[in-house]
């Protein structure tokens, strides 16, 4: 199964359509999920999660870590246990900010 993760509004209609076709063609596959982060950023993810939560009618007093995590773009995947950054970089560079909180 393919899951495209990222800001779809900022890509062309042609790219957006290709994403939809890939996701639709693999929708019923269950053995493995390939999450492709394209035009993705951790800050964007947190903002869009807040917007989704508000759009669903969630009240501020109802927001906690678990409820907000359900609205993240990668809610379908477990948080990583290990985060490897190649090239000698030590920072996470706005990638999986929420999900990598407890990764090694």
């Amino acid at each position: 199964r393919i899951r495209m993760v990222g800001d779809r509004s900022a890509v062309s209609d042609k790219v957006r359509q290709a994403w939809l076709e890939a996701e639709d063609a693999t929708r019923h596959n269950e053995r493995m999920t390939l999450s492709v982060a394209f035009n993705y950023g951790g800050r964007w993810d947190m903002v869009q999660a807040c917007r989704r939560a508000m759009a669903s009618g969630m009240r501020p007093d109802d927001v906690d870590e678990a409820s907000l995590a359900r609205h993240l773009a990668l809610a379908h995947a477990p948080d990583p246990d290990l985060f490897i950054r190649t090239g000698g970089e030590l920072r996470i560079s706005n990638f999986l900010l929420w999900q990598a909180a407890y990764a090694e």
Side-chain angles (χ1 to χ4, degrees):
R1 178 179 199 174
I2 295 174
R3 301 285 296 260
M4 300 303 293
V5 180
D7 184 1
R8 294 172 187 240
S9 68
V11 298
S12 71
D13 290 340
K14 183 177 181 179
V15 170
R16 197 174 311 120
Q17 184 60 37
W19 286 359
L20 290 172
E21 289 173 11
E23 289 176 325
D24 190 51
T26 62
R27 178 175 316 276
H28 300 291
N29 298 350
E30 295 179 0
R31 286 188 63 194
M32 182 185 309
T33 299
L34 173 64
S35 299
V36 179
F38 186 92
N39 199 35
Y40 170 88
R43 289 181 178 184
W44 164 84
D45 198 5
M46 288 187 208
V47 169
Q48 70 82 33
C50 290
R51 288 178 177 162
R52 283 185 183 181
M54 289 187 292
S56 74
M58 190 177 294
R59 296 185 346 233
D61 291 342
D62 296 333
V63 176
D64 58 17
E65 287 185 26
S67 64
L68 190 58
R70 286 192 294 271
H71 294 281
L72 291 167
L74 280 158
H76 64 275
D79 290 347
D81 293 317
L82 181 64
F83 194 92
I84 298 173
R85 179 75 194 264
T86 60
E89 294 290 334
L90 300 177
R91 58 193 179 90
I92 57 176
S93 300
N94 192 31
F95 189 69
L96 301 180
L97 295 177
W98 179 284
Q99 297 87 345
Y102 296 105
E104 295 290 329

